[in-house]
Amino acid sequence: MSAPQISAREAQVLALLGEHLSNAEIAAQLVISVRTVESHVSSLLRKLQLPDRRALARHAAESARTQESHPAPALPEPLTTFIGRVRERRELAEAVRGHRLVTVVGPGGVGKTRLALAVAADVADDFDGVWFVDLVPITEPGRVGAAVAAAVGVGEQPGHGIDDAVLAALAERRALLVLDNCEQVRDGVAPFLERLLAACPRLRVLVTSRARLLVPFERAFTLAPLSRVGGDESEAVALFMDRAAAVGHPPGPAVSEGVVTICERLGGMALAIELAAARWSTLGLDGLATGLSDQLRILTGGPRADDRHRSVRAVLDWSHDLLEPQDQALLRRVSVFVAPFTAEAAAEVAGFAPLDPVSVVDGLGRLAEQSLLAVTPSATGTRYHGLETIRQYGTERLADAGEWIDVRSRHLEWCSTGATVLQGASGADWRARFDEVADDLRAALTWAADRPERRADAHRLAVSLAELAFSRNLLGESQQRYEQAAGLADDTAGAAALRQAAAVAGCRRLGDDMFRLHRAAGEAARRAGDSVGAGCDLAAAATVAYRFSTSFTRIPPAEEVVAMLAEARVLSGDAPDAAAAVALAEAAVVADAYGALQGDTDNTAQETVGCAERAVTLARRTGDPVAESAALDALSGARGWTGDAFAVAAAARRRIDVLASVPPGPDGTHELMDALAMAAGTALGVGELAEARRWGSRLADHPLLAEAGHHATSWLLVADAFTGRADDVLGRSVPFLDSWEHSGRPRSLSLGAAASSVAMIHGLRGDQDARSAWLSTVERADTAPQHRHGYGAVLDAMVLLHQGEVDAALERVAPEPDRVWKWVCWIWLHWYLALRAEAAVLAGHPDARARIDAARAVVAGNPVATAQVDRAEALLDGDLVGQLATAAAFDAAGCPYQSARTLLLAGGEHTAAGAAALVVLGLAPTAAR
């Protein structure tokens, strides 16, 4: 079949669709009308035989990847040329193309990393992404996934760990991942790769390690030393000559025979050859031969593989012995750094007798000249680092010199000081500054945590790292570090750390972890003799079980939570903080103020409001804004049971004011994100569409939701849908859906309402196939009752009325509000009542007048719902002037869709204006009554 003929203008539109631009944005960029863009989109759908705009956007993105050259692979740039390995390079490239996982196996110093980098560059055009991950700085097996995520450039999704984010990012990509130096964290690499390869069928992984990983799909590629075949034409000699020339006075042909001998003695080990060549300019051939002959006498007997290891060690011993004593001390002391370090950092850690800061700086230069350290420029100045083999050698020398504890302690102190400085710092470069030292902070913490005498230092560093990781949006690590800090502290400090860990879990939308951590904090507080604190923690756990019920994978049984609340009452006594915490838990568990999934109470609405008001009063007395915000959230929910949407919105807005002075820590941040979402939703409930968009936009811009576009934009999508801004909704709908799918398709009211709003827009446009596809998404994004009785009834009725199916619309909102109260009372009540009135009028229902009067009594003060009721009454009375007056009211309320619909309902000479207004909004005009 021949490819469809797409015009140049259609190609431009298609490319901009791939960038998720709205019709209005495309029209502005191409200087054409929105109607013309709509025509091109329809033509593209027909020509490409694609079902909807989302499929067009994906097709455009795929076409762009096919037509453009592949992006440059994310590989480090070697400082020296790659010599030899012609056969191995070709064979390894073939292995990478043909196998899921290839492990380059060989001893340290044989050249695994350089070969892997060369091959990754060779095959880069075969992949749509190539990433390199150096695992040298990773000291904890559990952080392998985080290292890969950092290299790939993905962040954590709410409700999931960082490993899940990597799996989601690479699931459909034909990518190559290069993992270097896996041996020291093989216990973490192996299970991670098993999950990764199972979830990502198109992924290829190239590993370097001193031993096989022993996982499925693995194909081992054993790397031998450089070939010495061919004498002075061999790969080993070529490497020596190249590196010797780099340090000056390149050796001439007359010495090639001696170089062959040296390379033979070094067993063809690349690192050993490079270290020997670095001494060429100062020792010459005779000096090299003599020195190496003395060192290599040990190379007798034993397996050949052992000899290879010994040859590197021998050259390292020889290179080390040639150093001045001060440079020897410097080499072993800087081996504690796992990441590239500055001269200033080296001076602080290594600058004690026989060294001083000046000699440290001079010594770094000399070590670099001897290829024992590499020099790397960075945005913050020159940095130094050693190959992993040399660093490991240095740490052995450090232990032999009896300096292990002293240098490690100085490194720990340097890390602790640096962490403290970073905690009080800010600025555009803060993120880069953290990244430069983060691996050393982790390494220092790992060392200190294993030493009983350093537990206090480890605890302080763990807390600092937890706070820094939170600021860096590394929420999984932040929670991990807080929990680690709790295990390193006494019970009092441990309880405090566990509370912070619970707050971070809240930011991650992990209800099960929040519940577990609050309970653990309560147990720690009880062991510490703090019964009041224990009562607060148990009350907090009980509240979490009901307040955040949708974020649980397993909701705690009601009887378990009730028993926990009873225990909290006993423990807390009359202490103000505990009284406030218990009152909030009672509002949540006993009165169901939050409308939990498991909530099933017989309380009257006024009793629930009373419980919530008491919780607000007690929380305000504590002076804790976070506690007051949580209580106001309960009050907002409780007011919802009464049907007072304005009180609901007022309580929700009050939370944001209360939290204005709270620093951006875990508990305040978690509370603020929830408050923004509630403010957006409740503003929508009272027809304040501009306010709903404002709060929704602020939530969408929150940095913690950068990797969670579905949660970030959910309320913004709903608000835009109610205004009728189709282009904005459809433009955001594609990244919303992609993010939701990549996050594991979580369920919540806001996600279901957002998906239903997109479905509504497609319905208003007359695209039933796209509407059906989005309605199937709604079924997976929220519980059925929410859609059937709540926002679903409202949004479906709007579509049915727009399409002229008034009897179906009347049926969709047929239940009396009190029969579906749980699903309409919080946000959707005003819209439900207004639509019931309008549908009754248009369908000629005998109770139309009564429905108008009932609705008016409730929605008064809601500008959009009031205008809708006014329009219904004007339609019932045949009052054309009254109908047209509501168009201006809708415009003033920021609801252009309903304004356009008013003109369509007016008919006659107003029909054309209404249809034109719908086109501007990106909505196709359809039959209306």
Side-chain angles (χ1 to χ4, degrees):
M1 181 182 293
S2 61
Q5 295 297 312
I6 295 176
S7 69
R9 178 65 83 186
E10 287 172 342
Q12 290 176 317
V13 171
L14 183 62
L16 295 175
L17 285 170
E19 298 176 16
H20 305 307
L21 269 63
S22 68
N23 285 356
E25 291 169 327
I26 294 173
Q29 190 156 328
L30 298 181
V31 197
I32 58 178
S33 69
V34 174
R35 183 192 292 270
T36 301
V37 174
E38 190 72 39
S39 175
H40 286 315
V41 171
S42 298
S43 177
L44 287 166
L45 289 170
R46 184 180 65 258
K47 289 181 178 180
L48 296 173
Q49 297 182 355
L50 294 173
D52 53 32
R53 184 189 183 95
R54 176 168 172 261
L56 269 181
R58 286 185 169 175
H59 176 87
E62 186 63 34
S63 297
R65 283 195 293 269
T66 302
Q67 294 169 5
E68 295 175 359
S69 60
H70 288 283
L75 300 172
E77 189 67 32
L79 300 176
T80 55
T81 56
F82 185 78
I83 304 295
R85 300 290 194 191
V86 176
R87 177 183 57 80
E88 293 96 328
R89 190 170 179 171
R90 181 183 65 254
E91 292 177 354
L92 182 57
E94 292 174 357
V96 169
R97 292 187 179 102
H99 300 277
R100 303 288 311 282
L101 169 63
V102 180
T103 301
V104 181
V105 179
V110 77
K112 301 185 296 294
T113 299
R114 289 302 304 272
L115 178 62
L117 285 173
V119 168
D122 291 343
V123 302
D125 287 344
D126 296 340
F127 299 93
D128 58 20
V130 178
W131 292 279
F132 177 86
V133 186
D134 183 6
L135 295 178
V136 166
I138 307 305
T139 56
E140 301 162 288
R143 289 204 52 76
V144 170
V148 175
V152 175
V154 298
E156 186 179 331
Q157 290 275 4
H160 300 276
I162 194 68
D163 290 9
D164 296 318
V166 176
L167 268 60
L170 300 179
E172 299 179 3
R173 300 195 66 163
R174 178 169 174 77
L176 174 63
L177 197 61
V178 183
L179 301 184
D180 193 32
N181 291 297
C182 292
E183 54 273 355
Q184 79 275 10
V185 284
R186 192 168 64 167
D187 289 346
V189 173
F192 174 76
L193 284 184
E194 286 195 52
R195 285 190 64 202
L196 187 66
L197 291 168
C200 308
R202 304 175 67 199
L203 180 69
R204 296 288 186 272
V205 180
L206 176 59
V207 164
T208 74
S209 177
R210 296 187 184 184
R212 290 185 59 190
L213 300 179
L214 301 177
V215 297
F217 309 117
E218 184 180 27
R219 181 181 178 87
F221 185 95
T222 302
L223 186 61
L226 284 166
S227 171
R228 280 90 68 206
V229 176
D232 58 6
E233 297 296 324
S234 68
E235 293 180 340
V237 171
L239 177 64
F240 184 97
M241 292 296 197
D242 181 84
R243 300 303 190 254
V247 297
H249 307 290
V255 302
S256 62
E257 183 176 343
V259 173
V260 171
T261 302
I262 289 173
C263 290
E264 284 288 352
R265 287 181 174 178
L266 296 177
M269 297 297 287
L271 176 58
I273 291 171
E274 292 192 354
L275 291 174
R279 290 286 185 173
W280 164 260
S281 62
T282 56
L283 295 180
L285 182 61
D286 293 343
L288 286 174
T290 301
L292 290 173
S293 293
D294 289 341
Q295 288 295 326
L296 297 179
R297 289 176 192 167
I298 64 171
L299 295 179
T300 57
R304 188 176 181 212
D306 290 344
D307 289 348
R308 293 171 188 166
H309 281 294
R310 290 179 186 176
S311 67
V312 173
R313 179 174 296 280
V315 174
L316 288 171
D317 285 338
W318 169 73
S319 297
H320 174 268
D321 292 345
L322 289 174
L323 298 174
E324 294 295 326
Q326 287 190 327
D327 290 348
Q328 291 177 350
L330 181 59
L331 179 65
R332 65 178 179 260
R333 291 175 183 179
V334 297
S335 68
V336 297
F337 290 102
V338 297
F341 57 90
T342 63
E344 180 183 13
E348 289 190 39
V349 173
F352 62 99
L355 301 175
D356 57 42
V358 174
S359 63
V360 167
V361 176
D362 291 341
L364 291 173
R366 289 190 294 272
L367 293 176
E369 290 172 0
Q370 305 306 322
S371 295
L372 292 167
L373 289 179
V375 181
T376 305
S378 74
T380 55
T382 301
R383 290 182 173 268
Y384 301 85
H385 69 96
L387 293 175
E388 176 62 5
T389 300
I390 296 176
R391 196 182 73 82
Q392 291 177 2
Y393 176 84
T395 59
E396 292 178 9
R397 285 284 183 170
L398 191 64
D400 293 342
E403 293 181 339
W404 178 258
I405 300 299
D406 289 342
V407 176
R408 274 293 185 187
S409 297
R410 291 174 70 92
H411 180 252
L412 173 62
E413 183 178 348
W414 174 78
C415 287
S416 298
T417 301
T420 301
V421 171
L422 277 172
Q423 284 175 279
S426 60
D429 65 339
W430 185 91
R431 183 170 179 160
R433 290 168 60 194
F434 170 80
D435 290 345
E436 287 170 343
V437 301
D439 285 326
D440 275 292
L441 300 185
R442 294 164 182 141
L445 176 57
T446 298
W447 176 77
D450 285 339
R451 304 192 68 83
E453 73 276 13
R454 289 291 188 180
R455 285 177 67 87
D457 296 319
H459 169 258
R460 285 190 293 271
L461 183 55
V463 171
S464 296
L465 188 51
E467 294 175 0
L468 293 169
F470 185 83
S471 298
R472 181 61 175 79
N473 287 356
L474 302 175
L475 301 191
E477 180 174 10
S478 179
Q479 181 181 330
Q480 172 199 349
R481 300 305 176 189
Y482 276 124
E483 293 194 55
Q484 184 178 16
L488 293 166
D490 60 31
D491 286 326
T492 298
L498 289 167
R499 291 168 194 139
Q500 291 293 82
V504 179
C507 295
R508 300 176 69 200
R509 295 179 180 266
L510 298 175
D512 304 79
D513 276 6
M514 291 180 71
F515 185 73
R516 170 181 62 83
L517 290 165
H518 277 303
R519 292 189 73 173
E523 291 303 315
R526 197 198 314 255
R527 289 193 301 269
D530 179 9
S531 60
V532 172
C536 288
D537 291 320
L538 293 180
T543 300
V544 162
Y546 277 68
R547 185 183 180 194
F548 300 110
S549 59
T550 59
S551 66
F552 278 76
T553 57
R554 173 192 169 272
I555 297 176
E559 57 274 14
E560 177 184 342
V561 178
V562 170
M564 189 182 306
L565 176 56
E567 187 176 4
R569 292 191 189 102
V570 173
L571 289 168
S572 59
D574 298 326
D577 289 356
V582 169
L584 182 60
E586 289 172 339
V589 178
V590 179
D592 193 28
Y594 295 112
L597 292 179
Q598 70 271 38
D600 183 19
T601 68
D602 295 326
N603 284 19
T604 67
Q606 288 305 319
E607 288 175 333
T608 303
V609 170
C611 285
E613 287 178 335
R614 179 171 178 270
V616 171
T617 299
L618 293 175
R620 188 171 294 144
R621 289 176 185 169
T622 69
D624 180 357
V626 174
E628 185 176 349
S629 172
L632 284 167
D633 190 28
L635 180 60
S636 180
R639 292 288 187 191
W641 292 125
T642 70
D644 188 348
F646 298 101
V648 171
R653 283 196 302 270
R654 174 63 182 152
R655 294 176 64 192
I656 297 175
D657 295 335
V658 166
L659 294 168
S661 61
V662 175
D667 52 353
T669 299
H670 177 219
E671 196 65 35
L672 178 61
M673 288 196 300
D674 183 75
L676 289 171
M678 296 304 100
T682 56
L684 179 74
V686 294
E688 296 177 356
L689 300 183
E691 285 293 283
R693 293 195 79 255
R694 181 162 75 92
W695 298 126
S697 297
R698 187 172 163 187
L699 179 66
D701 292 338
H702 199 289
L704 283 190
L705 294 178
E707 301 291 335
H710 52 301
H711 285 299
T713 61
S714 57
W715 285 114
L716 195 52
L717 276 169
V718 178
D720 281 341
F722 271 84
T723 66
R725 292 184 173 91
D727 290 335
D728 290 340
V729 171
L730 298 182
R732 288 193 180 94
S733 67
V734 174
F736 168 89
L737 188 59
D738 287 342
S739 176
W740 175 72
E741 289 177 339
H742 287 160
S743 70
R745 299 176 177 177
R747 288 177 177 265
S748 78
L749 181 149
S750 63
L751 297 176
S756 189
S757 296
V758 178
M760 181 194 77
I761 289 296
H762 282 297
L764 298 184
R765 289 162 52 88
D767 189 341
Q768 293 304 315
D769 290 341
R771 172 169 166 75
S772 296
W774 276 91
L775 288 177
S776 68
T777 298
V778 176
E779 294 175 1
R780 293 172 291 161
D782 198 7
T783 58
Q786 292 282 6
H787 182 250
R788 186 165 59 250
H789 301 305
Y791 57 78
V794 169
L795 296 169
D796 286 352
M798 288 177 68
V799 172
L800 293 168
L801 288 173
H802 182 87
Q803 295 173 340
E805 299 179 30
V806 295
D807 290 333
L810 186 66
E811 179 63 27
R812 195 69 179 86
V813 291
E816 292 291 338
D818 58 359
R819 287 178 49 203
V820 291
W821 193 253
K822 180 174 182 177
W823 297 282
V824 301
C825 65
W826 180 50
I827 288 177
W828 316 110
L829 179 62
H830 288 190
W831 304 102
Y832 190 85
L833 290 171
L835 285 164
R836 288 187 90 235
E838 181 175 327
V841 169
L842 293 174
H845 194 281
D847 292 337
R849 181 76 64 184
R851 289 190 179 186
I852 289 172
D853 293 340
R856 191 181 301 285
V858 176
V859 306
N862 179 326
V864 182
T866 296
Q868 199 167 357
V869 173
D870 288 344
R871 185 176 65 195
E873 186 170 33
L875 284 166
L876 182 63
D877 295 338
D879 180 4
L880 181 60
V881 174
Q883 288 182 53
L884 296 175
T886 63
F890 285 124
D891 285 331
C895 192
Y897 164 67
Q898 291 294 352
S899 175
R901 175 165 165 73
T902 297
L903 297 177
L904 291 176
L905 288 168
E909 63 185 278
H910 306 291
T911 302
L918 290 179
V919 170
V920 171
L921 291 171
L923 299 171
T926 58
R929 288 180 57 188

